[in-house]
Amino acid sequence: MFEETLFQSSRAGEQFVDILKKQGIVPGIKVDTGLQPIDGTDGETATQGLDGLADRCKRYYEQGARFAKWRAVLKVDSDKCPSSTAILENAHGLARYAQIAQANGLVPIVEPEVTLGPGDYSIERTAYVSEKVNSHVFRLLNEYNVILEGILLKPNMILPGLDVPTPSPEEVAKYTVRTMLRSVPAAVPGIHFLSGGMSEEEATLNLQALQAYGPTPWSLTFSYGRALQSSTLKIWSGKESSWKAAQERLVALAKANSEAQLGKYAGPHPSPGGARILQALRLGGAGK
């Protein structure tokens, strides 16, 4: 949830967190305050929000939140990005956030996203960059005494640039699992992949393919945004008359990915085909 939503109530006056708890859903909270450009880099960004984070986490816990999320975005290309400046800045932010969240009772979701973007960089290039980023993130997590058994990792799957043909789920899974084995300690309980621009069906098929590379030290599951919400929001379109149809699509997408993370997805997909769900990088404050 965003901070605004964490404290909001339904039409009937019942707080959203209480509605979730009654259904066995654990509320979480996005705690960063958005991306800002790093001067002197080629459009790379750092995540803001450490100021006052301890006090905010304390309030979020009192309101019912039990986990938190902080998104760091690393730009990748075939040559210069990500820079060492961007890697170190974002690794520090993730580690310090995780330390503060744990100190205030929240499980930190650590999200170092090597973001899918334009270019002809190869899947091998993304794998190399992701290994490097993950290694720096975990070095800093250890420096800040973060309890690895008490975090969840939310990384990208390994994909080439947008100017390269879309790889098969088997190829994505091979490079993704190899990257995680090379760079993520076994103490981490779960790796919850972001959908990061993949189409809704592509995200499900790639998640299913990961399960063929087990057993792994961690649970390989999903924490999708756009791949659960894109067609759901289009169906809803802000219309109360579309609530039921939108909810049915959301449940169907969640079910498909739940089956995929068990290696039991058999189709057909509720949102077959479809193009990549890309989003412009937004800079600014909370909610961006």
Side-chain angles (χ1 to χ4, degrees):
M1 308 176 86
F2 288 99
E3 179 175 319
E4 175 188 19
T5 319
L6 185 71
F7 292 90
Q8 284 179 333
S9 300
S10 70
R11 287 177 176 178
E14 187 175 10
Q15 290 201 324
F16 287 148
V17 289
D18 294 330
I19 294 172
L20 293 173
K21 289 177 185 176
K22 285 181 181 178
Q23 298 181 68
I25 298 171
V26 179
I29 175 72
K30 179 182 184 293
V31 299
D32 70 74
T33 57
L35 306 175
Q36 294 290 345
I38 301 174
D39 290 340
T41 67
D42 184 15
E44 295 179 286
T45 59
T47 306
Q48 308 297 297
L50 290 175
D51 288 352
L53 181 58
D55 290 337
R56 287 189 284 123
C57 284
K58 183 178 179 180
R59 285 196 299 115
Y60 300 152
Y61 186 90
E62 291 171 351
Q63 180 64 10
R66 290 298 179 266
F67 65 95
K69 185 186 99 108
W70 176 288
R71 180 190 182 213
V73 177
L74 284 301
K75 179 182 177 182
V76 58
D77 62 20
S78 58
D79 184 23
K80 296 180 180 178
C81 292
S83 65
S84 59
T85 299
I87 292 173
L88 292 172
E89 172 65 22
N90 282 288
H92 165 263
L94 284 166
R96 184 74 178 105
Y97 137 76
Q99 180 191 49
I100 293 169
Q102 285 189 344
N104 288 278
L106 300 176
V107 173
I109 295 179
V110 176
E111 183 177 359
E113 178 182 352
V114 178
T115 190
L116 175 65
D120 61 357
Y121 58 88
S122 66
I123 194 168
E124 291 87 356
R125 169 69 177 166
T126 305
Y128 167 77
V129 167
S130 297
E131 289 174 26
K132 187 174 183 180
V133 168
N134 289 347
S135 68
H136 280 280
V137 169
F138 281 100
R139 181 174 67 84
L140 267 293
L141 289 170
N142 287 325
E143 288 284 350
Y144 282 94
N145 296 315
V146 173
I147 302 167
L148 297 186
E149 290 86 350
I151 73 166
L152 295 171
L153 184 68
K154 183 176 177 179
N156 51 284
M157 291 190 194
I158 306 302
L159 298 163
L162 292 171
D163 297 334
V164 175
T166 302
S168 68
E170 291 72 25
E171 187 176 16
V172 172
K174 179 182 77 172
Y175 280 100
T176 300
V177 174
R178 189 188 76 176
T179 297
M180 300 304 127
L181 286 169
R182 287 179 173 182
S183 59
V184 179
V188 175
I191 300 178
H192 296 234
F193 290 97
L194 53 91
S195 54
M198 293 183 286
S199 74
E200 291 174 326
E201 185 174 26
E202 180 186 6
T204 301
L205 295 176
N206 287 346
L207 178 63
Q208 167 106 335
L210 291 175
Q211 312 311 318
Y213 284 83
T216 62
W218 344 265
S219 167
L220 300 178
T221 184
F222 67 100
S223 179
Y224 291 166
R226 279 168 273 170
L228 286 177
Q229 299 171 3
S230 182
S231 63
T232 300
L233 291 172
K234 287 177 183 176
I235 291 169
W236 172 49
S237 297
K239 300 174 184 176
E240 191 165 338
S241 59
S242 300
W243 280 5
K244 187 174 186 294
Q247 289 171 344
E248 288 173 350
R249 173 58 62 86
L250 178 61
V251 170
L253 288 168
K255 184 174 185 290
N257 288 294
S258 178
E259 292 169 349
Q261 64 94 24
L262 295 171
K264 296 180 179 179
Y265 170 74
H269 200 271
S271 183
R276 293 281 177 74
I277 310 167
L278 300 173
Q279 203 174 55
L281 196 64
R282 294 176 293 176
L283 305 177
K288 300 297 184 184

